[in-house]
Amino acid sequence: MALAQMAVAMLPVSRREWRAAMLSDLEHIESDWLALHWAAGCVLVGIKERFRDMARGNLGVSRWILVAEMALCFIPLTIAWLDFAIGSWSDVPPAFAAFSLDTPGAGPALAAMLGGATIGVLGPVGLFVALRALFFGRRVSPMMASVLVVGPLLLGVLLFSAFATSSWLDTARDLILLSVLPGLGVAHLLALSKPSAGIDQNARLAS
Amino acid sequence: MTRERRSSPQTLTLLAALLDQPRTWRHGYDLSSETQLKSGTLYPVMMRLSERGFLDSKWEASELPGRPPRRMYRLTAKGLSFAKEQLAEAEQGVLNKMRRARA
C-alpha cells in the first residue's frame, strides 16, 4: 500500500481521480503477491505520467527564463559568427602578410574560418527562430530544426579538425558552446511545441 | 482533417475487451485480468482514452464491506465507434499482411 501511495503521489495533480481509482483497485486485490504486482505497475504509471507531463512543458517555466535559456544556447554561436565574419577578416590584411597557405595547418584553419563565418550565421538565425517561437507561438519547422542541429555539429567537426592541436579543454569548450548548446536549445523548443493534451491524443495512443 | 493513427496493440486489446460488453461497467482490475495488461500499461491507455472522450467512468460503492468505492469504466458512444473502426482497421491490416506473405 505504501508503494502504491508513493506511486500515486508522483502522478500530476490533474490525475487526482486516477490516483484514487488505482488505490481503490489495489484495496480490492486479495492476494498479497498480486497486490504487489499491481502496486509496482502503479509506480510505473506514476513515473510515465510525470515524465509525460514534463515533456509537455507543463512545468510552469517562465517565458523569460526560456528566453535566457535560448540566449545561452545561441549567443555563443552568434558571437563566434561575429568573430569569424568580422573579427578575423579585419585582421586578415596584416595576417596575410605572414600567413600563407603553405604554412602548416593554414588550410584547415582558413577552412574553419570560412566555415565558421558561413555556419555561424545559424547563431543569430537560431536566436530569432527561438524568440519567435517563444513570443508568437510559431512552430519550429522540422527543416529549420534539422539545419539548426546539423549546422553547428558540422562547425564542431570543422573546428575539431582544424584546431585539434590546441588543448583539449579549449576544444571541448568550443564544442559545447558552438555545437552542443544550439542542439539542446532546438530540442527543448521542439519538446515545448508538442501539441498539448486533447489536441493530438491519438498520436500518443499509438505510441 | 487529421488522419487517425493506428492504436497500439495494448489499446486494441483493451478496446476489444470493452467492446465485448459495451453496456457493462467494469473496474480496472477486472479489465486487467481479462486483457492481461498490467496496471502500468492499462492505466495510461485508459487515461488517454478518457481524455479523448472515448471512455466513460463513474464511482460505485464496493460490494465488499469496508472497502472504498471503485471506479467503473465503459465506452462512450464515440468510443464505441472508435473501437469498432480501430479493430476493423487492425483486422484489415493483418489480412493484408497475410496476403502479402502468401504472394
Side-chain angles (χ1 to χ4, degrees):
Chain A
M1 195 65 192
L3 185 65
Q5 271 170 348
M6 184 194 82
V8 294
M10 280 191 283
L11 280 172
V13 185
S14 55
R15 301 265 185 247
R16 196 174 292 148
E17 281 227 32
W18 292 99
R19 293 182 192 184
M22 282 192 277
L23 286 178
S24 147
D25 273 330
L26 182 67
E27 295 249 11
H28 285 82
I29 301 173
E30 301 291 342
S31 150
D32 286 348
W33 180 242
L34 288 178
L36 185 67
H37 262 253
W38 190 260
C42 294
V43 173
L44 202 63
V45 177
I47 294 169
K48 273 184 191 171
E49 291 304 303
R50 177 58 67 180
F51 272 103
R52 188 169 165 267
D53 213 41
M54 285 161 70
R56 241 197 253 161
N58 284 352
L59 289 172
V61 180
S62 145
R63 181 175 288 174
W64 295 106
I65 291 178
L66 289 173
V67 168
E69 180 196 320
M70 291 304 141
L72 181 77
C73 291
F74 290 104
I75 282 182
L77 187 58
T78 306
I79 292 172
W81 168 65
L82 286 172
D83 186 43
F84 283 127
I86 303 165
S88 304
W89 285 117
S90 63
D91 293 339
V92 163
F96 249 49
F99 190 81
S100 112
L101 282 177
D102 297 332
T103 315
L110 193 63
M113 232 162 68
L114 290 171
T118 314
I119 301 171
V121 82
L122 292 175
V125 169
L127 197 58
F128 170 75
V129 169
L131 295 182
R132 194 180 60 162
L134 290 179
F135 285 99
F136 302 105
R138 296 284 296 272
R139 291 194 65 191
V140 182
S141 69
M143 172 67 93
M144 177 55 81
S146 319
V147 170
L148 286 175
V149 171
V150 174
L153 282 178
L154 267 178
L155 180 62
V157 172
L158 205 61
L159 287 175
F160 189 75
S161 56
F163 303 110
T165 48
S166 63
S167 81
W168 67 268
L169 202 64
D170 288 347
T171 311
R173 183 202 59 200
D174 290 347
L175 283 177
I176 290 170
L177 288 177
L178 307 181
S179 299
V180 177
L181 282 182
L184 290 177
V186 172
H188 197 195
L189 272 183
L190 290 179
L192 288 174
S193 64
K194 271 188 181 171
S196 56
I199 294 176
D200 192 18
Q201 299 297 340
N202 214 23
R204 274 180 226 121
L205 275 176
S207 64
Chain B
M1 197 178 142
T2 54
R3 199 187 171 282
E4 298 259 329
R5 273 224 231 163
R6 270 193 206 155
S7 300
S8 64
Q10 293 83 356
T11 307
L12 291 173
T13 307
L14 179 64
L15 288 174
L18 289 163
L19 195 60
D20 207 29
Q21 300 169 47
R23 304 195 67 79
T24 314
W25 290 95
R26 308 178 66 183
H27 52 75
Y29 188 64
D30 175 29
L31 287 166
S32 167
S33 309
E34 186 185 328
T35 58
Q36 298 298 308
L37 293 174
K38 309 276 181 225
S39 54
T41 306
L42 177 77
Y43 272 103
V45 172
M46 289 208 295
M47 286 175 191
R48 313 288 171 262
L49 289 175
S50 174
E51 278 172 357
R52 299 185 65 199
F54 295 149
L55 202 61
D56 206 359
S57 63
K58 68 168 186 175
W59 288 96
E60 202 171 89
S62 172
E63 63 276 17
L64 298 170
R67 304 284 169 97
R70 304 194 86 165
R71 201 174 188 198
M72 315 292 282
Y73 312 90
R74 74 175 184 190
L75 289 170
T76 59
K78 192 178 159 192
L80 269 171
S81 54
F82 175 75
K84 283 177 190 163
E85 183 191 302
Q86 291 289 305
L87 290 167
E89 240 181 64
E91 201 177 348
Q92 193 57 49
V94 172
L95 287 175
N96 288 345
K97 260 188 200 168
M98 284 170 67
R99 265 187 223 123
R100 272 199 298 270
R102 259 190 240 139

